[in-house]
Amino acid sequence: MSIITLTSDAGNGYYAGSVKGTIYSSLQDVTVVDITHAIEPFDMLQAAFIVKNTYSDFPKGTIHIVDVNSFPEEGAKNCLFFFDGHFFIGADNGLFPLIFDTIPEKIMELILVPDARSLAFPMRDVFAKAACHIAKDLPLEEIAKPLEKLKERSVFKPSIDKNSIRGIIIFIDHYKNVVCNISREIFENVRQGRKFSIATKGTSVEDISVISEKYNDVQEGEIVAFFGSTGFLEIAINQGAAGNLLNLKKNDQITIRFDD
């Protein structure tokens, strides 16, 4: 049985239901899984973060439709990728290079002939059609041709010196826990066993001077920092909303300072 996942910024309207209906009308032996349709409108960084940390939990051969900011500019291409045993379908808008750690095994431009509806609803009339074609194990060359280069999107990377790391908040989850673009590897390489303090918006958060393993390593209502399942630094409040209580937003700066 084929699996097709859907990730979009479509919200709670009819869009996701229409896409699923189209897929089920074409395929009888398929499972369609909603990863999320609650991506903030046009937020490709958020979509990439969620798909990057979700896709590998699905079986190899899963087809992932990602529909966020699918009309970035005039003449933008719709693409098909094969990476790490999975298929990915969406617009060539700079989102997919944020998901892939290496160059995909296949990079292809979809050549499906659009009709009037396709121009307004590519997730249903282009991406879903391509996903069904793949699920039927039909030749990819019937719907796509090789593409030499993907559109890149610049992403802020942590700034590192001998005694500090400066990063940003890249994701805030439903519980208002914040995720930074500082990985455990970067943290440990700079730390070298030294004591540290974490500052947000230039104000030191004195309660964060250790890295914990999980939320309830601290008392309820206390601030906790740990490296989550994504491998990135998270700042949270046990049974609380760190994003709200610490007044943190996406793209806010997070600074870790180490003892000299």
Side-chain angles (χ1 to χ4, degrees), residues 178 180 187 195-200 203-212 218 222-226 233-237 242 246 248 254-257:
V178 304
C180 315
F187 174 79
K195 293 182 179 180
F196 66 92
S197 63
I198 296 178
T200 62
T203 301
S204 179
V205 182
E206 296 179 356
D207 290 341
I208 304 181
S209 58
V210 299
I211 297 295
S212 301
V218 301
E222 291 185 357
I223 301 171
V224 60
F226 62 96
L233 179 67
E234 296 189 26
I235 298 174
I237 293 177
L246 300 178
L248 298 175
I254 299 292
T255 302
I256 305 176
R257 296 187 175 91

Side-chain angles (χ1 to χ4, degrees), residues 31-249:
T31 297
V32 183
V33 179
D34 295 298
I35 292 180
T36 182
H37 298 288
I39 301 295
E40 293 294 326
F42 315 115
D43 193 335
M44 293 188 288
L45 182 60
Q46 183 187 27
F49 179 84
I50 288 175
V51 175
K52 182 180 181 69
N53 290 287
T54 304
Y55 84 86
S56 61
D57 293 319
F58 287 88
K60 301 285 188 180
T62 297
I63 305 159
H64 305 277
I65 294 175
V66 186
D67 182 64
V68 176
N69 194 28
S70 294
F71 307 98
E73 59 188 31
E74 185 70 24
K77 300 178 177 65
N78 294 317
C79 295
L80 161 66
F81 312 96
F82 185 72
F83 174 78
D84 192 24
H86 295 250
F87 294 95
F88 298 83
I89 299 170
D92 181 23
N93 56 13
L95 188 156
F96 288 98
L98 304 179
I99 298 173
F100 308 141
D101 295 320
T102 58
I103 298 174
E105 293 95 309
K106 289 183 181 294
I107 303 175
M108 306 183 79
E109 177 186 352
L110 291 173
I111 56 174
L112 295 169
V113 178
D115 56 28
R117 294 199 315 165
S118 302
L119 297 177
F121 199 170
M123 182 164 62
R124 179 188 64 191
D125 300 318
V126 177
F127 303 160
K129 184 177 179 181
C132 291
H133 184 94
I134 296 169
K136 293 174 182 177
D137 201 26
L138 297 173
L140 298 181
E141 292 72 20
E142 293 181 0
I143 61 168
K145 64 181 181 180
L147 183 66
E148 292 185 1
K149 186 178 180 181
L150 286 176
K151 181 177 179 179
E152 298 286 344
R153 178 178 171 85
S154 61
V155 178
F156 181 87
K157 296 182 179 180
S159 174
I160 301 169
D161 59 36
K162 179 181 177 182
N163 295 318
S164 70
I165 304 172
R166 292 177 175 83
I168 60 170
I169 295 171
I170 58 174
F171 183 72
I172 300 178
D173 70 13
H174 176 72
Y175 299 98
K176 304 304 179 183
N177 305 315
V178 304
V179 181
C180 315
N181 66 337
I182 300 172
S183 68
R184 183 190 293 273
E185 181 181 8
I186 289 174
F187 174 79
E188 295 296 352
N189 285 343
V190 179
R191 182 187 186 187
Q192 296 296 312
R194 294 179 292 175
K195 293 182 179 180
F196 66 92
S197 63
I198 296 178
T200 62
K201 295 185 177 180
T203 301
S204 179
V205 182
E206 296 179 356
D207 290 341
I208 304 181
S209 58
V210 299
I211 297 295
S212 301
E213 293 297 325
K214 54 188 182 301
Y215 297 104
N216 59 7
D217 281 349
V218 301
Q219 296 296 314
E220 185 175 327
E222 291 185 357
I223 301 171
V224 60
F226 62 96
F227 289 96
S229 60
T230 65
F232 290 105
L233 179 67
E234 296 189 26
I235 298 174
I237 293 177
N238 189 14
Q239 300 293 309
N244 291 345
L245 295 175
L246 300 178
N247 192 30
L248 298 175
K249 306 183 300 297

